[in-house]
Amino acid sequence: MVEWWNGLDEVLKILYCIAIPATLILVIQTILSLVGGFEGGAGIDFSDTSGIDFDGGSDISDLSDASDLGGHNFFGDGGNPADFSIMSMFTVQGIVTFLTVMGWTSIVAIGSGTPAAFSIIVGIALGFVSMFVVAKLIHISGKLTENGTLNLKNAIGENGKVYIPIPAEATGEGKVTLYLQGRYTECEAITFEKEQIRTGTMVRITDVRNGVLIVEIDK
């Protein structure tokens, strides 16, 4: 091993010093990803305040000031980490992948007789391609996770049917069924209508507060 190492030129020594540690880190990252150690949120919207009780209480009657919101959603989506961009390539996984691919590609090219300078250029090019592929795969994976998570904000403006009667003037909760994100789901709901909404009545979702739908009779 010592003789082999001493027989290498300086360029190959540098490339091996890059490729071997990067490969070990990449293997560790892959193992941790498989066991869940590198799982991250897929598109956490830090500006999303729905579901937060600012008054510190859980009394549903505190939502009475939401009756005039209609179908408007005042909580716009902010920057989403799951949105793909060039900067998405420059993550720990991306950089480690770049170093691994660049290092081994250059080593193999030099070993096949290709000039060192050209081998390194090819290695860098393939390294950047690998960074892009990894970033894109992470992005797609994050989107799939995000799409599979039920987001009640997506129900705003949709229609549903009352499953359990909804008491009038937000004095209690009922339940509605609706088709949301590709599947039928059952959600708790309140209304600010003056009369109880009976089972089977079609309603329209106007807002979401504290994980509870706010509905009105679909006229």
Side-chain angles (χ1 to χ4, degrees):
M1 179 65 71
V2 175
E3 293 180 359
W4 168 80
W5 179 257
N6 291 334
L8 299 175
D9 59 30
E10 294 301 319
V11 173
L12 280 174
K13 286 181 179 179
I14 293 173
L15 290 173
Y16 273 112
C17 287
I18 292 173
I20 293 176
T23 302
L24 292 176
I25 295 173
L26 184 62
V27 170
I28 293 172
Q29 284 183 337
T30 302
I31 294 174
L32 291 177
S33 296
L34 292 175
V35 299
F38 264 67
E39 284 186 354
I44 302 172
D45 186 357
F46 294 99
S47 66
D48 182 8
T49 55
S50 63
I52 300 177
D53 186 354
F54 292 100
D55 296 328
S58 58
D59 187 355
I60 199 69
S61 64
D62 292 340
L63 302 176
S64 59
D65 60 341
S67 59
D68 60 345
L69 293 180
H72 300 288
N73 177 16
F74 292 97
F75 300 103
D77 290 337
N80 194 325
D83 292 339
F84 183 78
S85 66
I86 296 300
M87 293 305 298
S88 301
M89 296 168 56
F90 296 94
T91 61
V92 174
Q93 293 94 330
I95 293 172
V96 170
T97 301
F98 168 80
L99 294 175
T100 301
V101 174
M102 184 276 293
W104 289 116
T105 300
S106 300
I107 290 170
V108 170
I110 292 174
S112 65
T114 306
F118 183 74
S119 298
I120 293 174
I121 291 174
V122 172
I124 291 174
L126 291 180
F128 275 114
V129 171
S130 66
M131 283 180 69
F132 175 81
V133 171
V134 168
K136 196 66 177 178
L137 289 175
I138 292 175
H139 169 71
I140 294 173
S141 176
K143 282 296 183 182
L144 289 175
T145 303
E146 180 183 14
N147 291 340
T149 303
L150 189 64
N151 185 354
L152 290 181
K153 289 176 64 179
N154 293 332
I156 297 176
E158 300 293 333
N159 293 327
K161 180 180 289 187
V162 176
Y163 173 64
I164 296 178
I166 306 174
E169 299 181 335
T171 55
E173 297 178 3
K175 288 189 176 182
V176 300
T177 57
L178 70 156
Y179 192 71
L180 181 61
Q181 295 179 206
R183 63 181 185 270
Y184 283 99
T185 185
E186 180 182 299
C187 302
E188 296 178 341
I190 65 168
T191 184
F192 294 99
E193 300 278 4
K194 301 299 182 181
E195 298 180 356
Q196 179 191 68
I197 304 180
R198 298 184 178 183
T199 299
T201 304
M202 295 300 298
V203 295
R204 185 172 69 89
I205 292 84
T206 60
D207 206 352
V208 178
R209 289 293 185 275
N210 297 324
V212 178
L213 303 181
I214 298 176
V215 304
E216 62 182 20
I217 297 175
D218 188 28
K219 301 176 182 178

